């Protein structure tokens, strides 16, 4: 497994996800989303796995602006420009990905 956890340092669910993998001694690579963001390829891979709407953090006040964008490509650009709009944690394992705290899905990854 090649696990990456994209998260925000103050995100409670990100900390829970990291703890879940640590407790099971599964190695992962933590990535500070606000500092490093996601590459276009990484973001596209996650969108293919979970869908664009699942990635948008609806609790963010700026998320409402994304609803007015007609094209998914424009929404993708906004997410690349402003990683604060991405719901965390984003956990990747190759082509598989989840958004949010989802240990029931991670258990089945191998």
């Amino acid at each position: 497994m090649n696990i990456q956890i994209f998260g925000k340092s103050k995100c409670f669910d990100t900390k829970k996800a990291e703890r879940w993998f640590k407790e099971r001694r599964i190695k992962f690579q933590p990535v500070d989303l606000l500092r490093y963001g996601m590459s276009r390829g990484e973001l596209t891979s996650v969108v293919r796995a979970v869908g664009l709407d699942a990635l948008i953090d609806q609790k963010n006040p700026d998320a409402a602006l994304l609803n007015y964008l007609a094209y998914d490509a424009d929404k993708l650009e906004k997410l690349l420009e402003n990683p604060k709009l991405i719901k965390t944690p984003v956990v990747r394992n190759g082509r598989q990905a989840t958004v949010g705290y989802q240990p029931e899905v991670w258990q089945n990854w191998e």
Side-chain angles (χ1 to χ4, degrees):
M1 273 196 283
N2 188 15
I3 305 290
Q4 286 180 304
I5 300 177
F6 293 87
K8 301 169 189 163
S9 59
K10 294 182 180 177
C11 173
F12 181 68
D13 283 343
T14 298
K15 290 179 182 6
K16 277 178 31 181
E18 289 177 354
R19 188 176 327 114
W20 190 89
F21 284 100
K22 281 179 188 171
E23 287 172 353
R24 284 151 187 80
R25 292 187 174 95
I26 299 171
K27 291 184 179 183
F28 63 90
Q29 176 188 5
V31 179
D32 186 339
L33 193 58
L34 300 181
R35 178 183 264 180
Y36 301 107
M38 289 177 102
S39 72
R40 182 177 303 278
E42 289 166 336
L43 189 58
T44 304
S45 171
V46 172
V47 167
R48 270 192 231 113
V50 299
L52 186 59
D53 291 336
L55 262 179
I56 299 170
D57 184 2
Q58 297 299 337
K59 293 178 184 171
N60 188 307
D62 296 334
L65 299 173
L66 289 176
N67 297 330
Y68 293 106
L69 297 174
Y71 301 107
D72 286 350
D74 294 338
K75 291 179 183 180
L76 204 62
E77 284 301 317
K78 280 290 179 202
L79 291 176
L80 284 168
E81 288 171 20
N82 189 356
K84 289 181 184 176
L85 295 171
I86 298 174
K87 184 177 179 181
T88 55
V90 176
V91 182
R92 283 186 65 211
N93 179 21
R95 291 184 179 166
Q96 298 172 307
T98 61
V99 177
Y101 183 72
Q102 298 190 15
E104 63 282 351
V105 176
W106 305 330
Q107 281 180 323
N108 299 321
W109 284 357
E110 287 191 33

